[in-house]
Amino acid sequence: MKKFKKLFTALISTATTISLMTGCAAGNNQQASSGSSGGKDGKIVVGFSQVGAESEWRTANTKSVKESAEKDPQIELKFSDAQQKQENQIKAIRSFIAQKVDVIAFSPVVQTGFDTVLQEAKTAGIPVILTDRAVDADPSLYKTMIGSDFVEEGKKAAQWMLDNVKTDKPVNIVELQGTVGSAPAIDRKAGFEEIIKDHTNYKIIKSQTGDFTRTKGKEVMEAFLKSNGKNINVVYSHNDDMAIGAIQAIEEYGLTPGKDIKIISVDGVKGAFEAMMAGKLNASIECNPLLGEQLMQAIKDVKAGKELPKWIKTEEGIFDTTNAAKEFPNRQY
Ligand code: GZL
Ligand code: ZN
């Protein structure tokens, strides 16, 4: 009986290795022939690495990418969430390369440190599309970047402040920065400072990262209030989630957000509109997360061999307490 059993297991194990071999060999042949994975019934297989789920903006951005892919019969989406860690994005991109996807798209959590993995994608013959955030890398390593002009957003925030917090007395500003090293944090800071540099009574007296989240935005604002309290005139927040955290901190401190301390933010998410309609947030510069459709089109254009502009810029507006209620019904995120 024992002999039979041994023979039986030996037979099974050879059978499985053969099937695995032929399986992956066939796979390779199939891949070799179409030069890429060529998903189920010839779909374009896209590997997408998302920053995380840190903010309302990000949730809306993810929804837009997933819904646009689901709606598009030519696209098969493989989605990964990096929980705001660069090493997870690099791992995801490497796994997309190993799976021989047709296109890789991602929103780089920070600007630097992606050159090597982008070179690996290029060597593997897989085109890369950036969405939302840019990278400091050789432009030949990606086909295009679909996203906003964050410097412009910073400038709009400062200009709104100059137009609506008009004074030649000292204006003390505290700044809630986005994720350290990310394109939106670097550029929104640069744009804001560019505009206020000629108005020396407007001063950024404290600046610290809240990593684009409500929780950290509230914690940092609590620290600012502890050290500077009533001397703070304006909060400049790189996104609405941190601004909403700051609003909570200001209320708990016993001041009135939107009045005692003016708050200017970026994104224009639903939560910001609700705060503006309640008079607790003074302005939010729009940053459009609905990039899904543009991304799907860019993917198909790249697969069709079309040359794309290096930057497909999203158009964006400015919302404040004067137009929030009128605009609110049109908001999709
Ligand atoms: C901007 C995007 C930023 C948003 C934040 O395009 O990268 O990341 O402003 C989000 O809300 O977390
Ligand atoms: Zn934007």
Side-chain angles (χ1 to χ4, degrees):
M1 180 56 181
K2 241 170 127 193
K3 228 169 89 205
F4 171 71
K5 216 165 142 282
K6 240 168 107 191
L7 182 68
F8 184 68
T9 26
L11 252 180
I12 292 293
S13 64
T14 18
T16 24
T17 22
I18 292 170
S19 67
L20 267 178
M21 285 287 290
T22 42
C24 80
N28 281 334
N29 292 339
Q30 189 215 3
Q31 279 152 9
S33 62
S34 65
S36 70
S37 64
K40 297 193 288 297
D41 38 62
K43 289 193 174 196
I44 301 170
V45 181
V46 183
F48 187 89
S49 166
Q50 179 60 297
V51 165
E54 73 282 1
S55 63
E56 282 186 57
W57 190 98
R58 189 61 57 197
T59 316
N61 178 248
T62 290
K63 189 163 168 281
S64 170
V65 169
K66 285 184 171 174
E67 284 179 356
S68 304
E70 259 142 47
K71 257 185 21 231
D72 193 320
Q74 294 177 57
I75 303 273
E76 182 191 320
L77 181 74
K78 293 178 182 296
F79 183 90
S80 97
D81 172 335
Q83 281 108 29
Q84 285 191 287
K85 291 188 180 59
Q86 177 169 39
E87 66 267 17
N88 291 345
Q89 287 204 294
I90 292 172
K91 256 188 248 151
I93 293 170
R94 287 206 164 112
S95 111
F96 293 145
I97 294 170
Q99 296 171 61
K100 293 188 180 313
V101 299
D102 296 299
V103 179
I104 289 170
F106 77 117
S107 169
V109 60
V110 291
Q111 272 187 180
T112 53
F114 285 102
D115 312 59
T116 311
V117 75
L118 289 177
Q119 186 53 58
E120 290 166 20
K122 186 172 182 180
T123 311
I126 301 175
V128 174
I129 294 174
L130 300 179
T131 75
D132 167 26
R133 297 183 183 179
V135 286
D136 269 349
D138 174 352
S140 74
L141 294 176
Y142 57 88
K143 291 294 178 193
T144 187
M145 199 291 276
I146 304 170
S148 313
D149 182 341
F150 301 128
V151 173
E152 197 48 41
E153 292 170 350
K155 287 182 173 175
K156 285 179 187 170
Q159 195 53 55
W160 187 92
M161 177 184 68
L162 297 181
D163 300 341
N164 293 275
V165 186
K166 252 189 184 30
T167 172
D168 40 23
K169 290 206 290 302
V171 176
N172 296 326
I173 304 157
V174 292
E175 181 181 30
L176 294 170
Q177 292 181 31
T179 302
V180 176
S182 69
I186 293 166
D187 291 351
R188 284 174 184 161
K189 182 171 192 47
F192 191 91
E193 288 172 348
E194 173 64 25
I195 294 294
I196 65 168
K197 73 177 189 313
D198 310 331
H199 303 263
T200 47
N201 59 315
Y202 292 81
K203 260 191 187 19
I204 296 179
I205 57 169
K206 284 272 167 51
S207 179
Q208 199 179 322
T209 183
D211 210 17
F212 283 132
T213 67
R214 264 186 212 207
T215 327
K216 292 215 188 100
K218 182 177 179 191
E219 277 163 25
V220 173
M221 190 64 207
E222 282 163 353
F224 288 162
L225 287 162
K226 227 195 221 92
S227 56
N228 298 79
K230 288 193 168 29
N231 288 336
I232 299 170
N233 306 110
V234 172
V235 177
Y236 169 44
S237 176
H238 290 185
N239 86 327
D240 294 333
D241 290 70
M242 295 188 293
I244 290 165
I247 287 168
Q248 289 162 2
I250 292 168
E251 287 176 324
E252 285 168 18
Y253 184 77
L255 291 175
T256 313
K259 292 194 181 36
D260 301 332
I261 299 181
K262 303 284 185 208
I263 306 172
I264 301 153
S265 177
V266 186
D267 277 351
V269 296
K270 248 190 203 51
F273 274 81
E274 283 150 0
M276 286 190 278
M277 291 188 285
K280 297 181 178 180
L281 174 65
N282 301 88
S284 183
I285 309 303
E286 185 185 24
C287 177
N288 187 349
L290 308 179
L291 306 176
E293 296 301 317
Q294 284 177 294
L295 175 59
M296 297 307 132
Q297 190 50 55
I299 288 164
K300 289 181 279 193
D301 290 347
V302 163
K303 278 311 281 175
K306 280 189 199 152
E307 268 311 299
L308 293 178
K310 268 303 170 202
W311 184 0
I312 301 174
K313 222 188 264 192
T314 26
E315 290 314 314
E316 300 167 336
I318 298 175
F319 304 110
D320 62 21
T321 42
T322 62
N323 61 11
K326 193 165 59 34
E327 172 62 24
F328 187 56
N330 314 330
R331 302 305 294 166
Q332 300 167 58
Y333 65 93

